[in-house]
Amino acid sequence: LSSEIPSWRDRLAACLGWPNLDPLPRGSYLRAVEAMRRRYAELDGATLFPVAQRFGARYVVAMSDFGREFERYRVAPAFGRYLLYDLTR
């Protein structure tokens, strides 16, 4: 796992739009998860699409609509509270 953990850490930081995970609270897993959830909800398509492309992901799962600029990528209908965007569309 020693070779996989740094890669996972870097992907997580990139998905959160940060250079590293220093902004996360320490000492409480639940507080860290809540901080990640809040941060991810703040991000838009202009931030998340390049990250997905960087890591070779086909889909972006969003917590809100990214607007008309990304409408052609949206897979309809929404499922639950999430929206799915297909970068190959």
Side-chain angles (χ1 to χ4, degrees):
L1 288 177
S2 64
S3 65
E4 296 172 14
I5 296 294
S7 176
W8 174 86
R9 177 203 60 218
D10 295 345
R11 284 177 184 244
L12 180 58
C15 286
L16 295 171
W18 293 331
N20 55 51
L21 297 178
D22 288 350
L24 288 177
R26 304 285 187 241
S28 170
Y29 172 77
L30 295 177
R31 284 189 10 214
V33 169
E34 179 58 24
M36 287 186 286
R37 187 197 65 72
R38 281 193 316 271
R39 174 63 179 159
Y40 192 75
E42 295 172 354
L43 300 176
D44 60 10
T47 303
L48 292 174
F49 275 49
V51 173
Q53 291 168 335
R54 173 179 159 195
F55 291 107
R58 177 178 176 177
Y59 298 101
V60 171
V61 176
M63 298 174 76
S64 62
D65 191 323
F66 289 154
R68 296 190 60 69
E69 180 182 355
F70 298 95
E71 190 173 337
R72 72 180 179 106
Y73 299 103
R74 189 169 150 198
V75 177
F79 54 100
R81 62 182 174 155
Y82 299 101
L83 299 167
L84 182 65
Y85 291 86
D86 183 344
L87 278 66
T88 65
R89 295 180 87 167

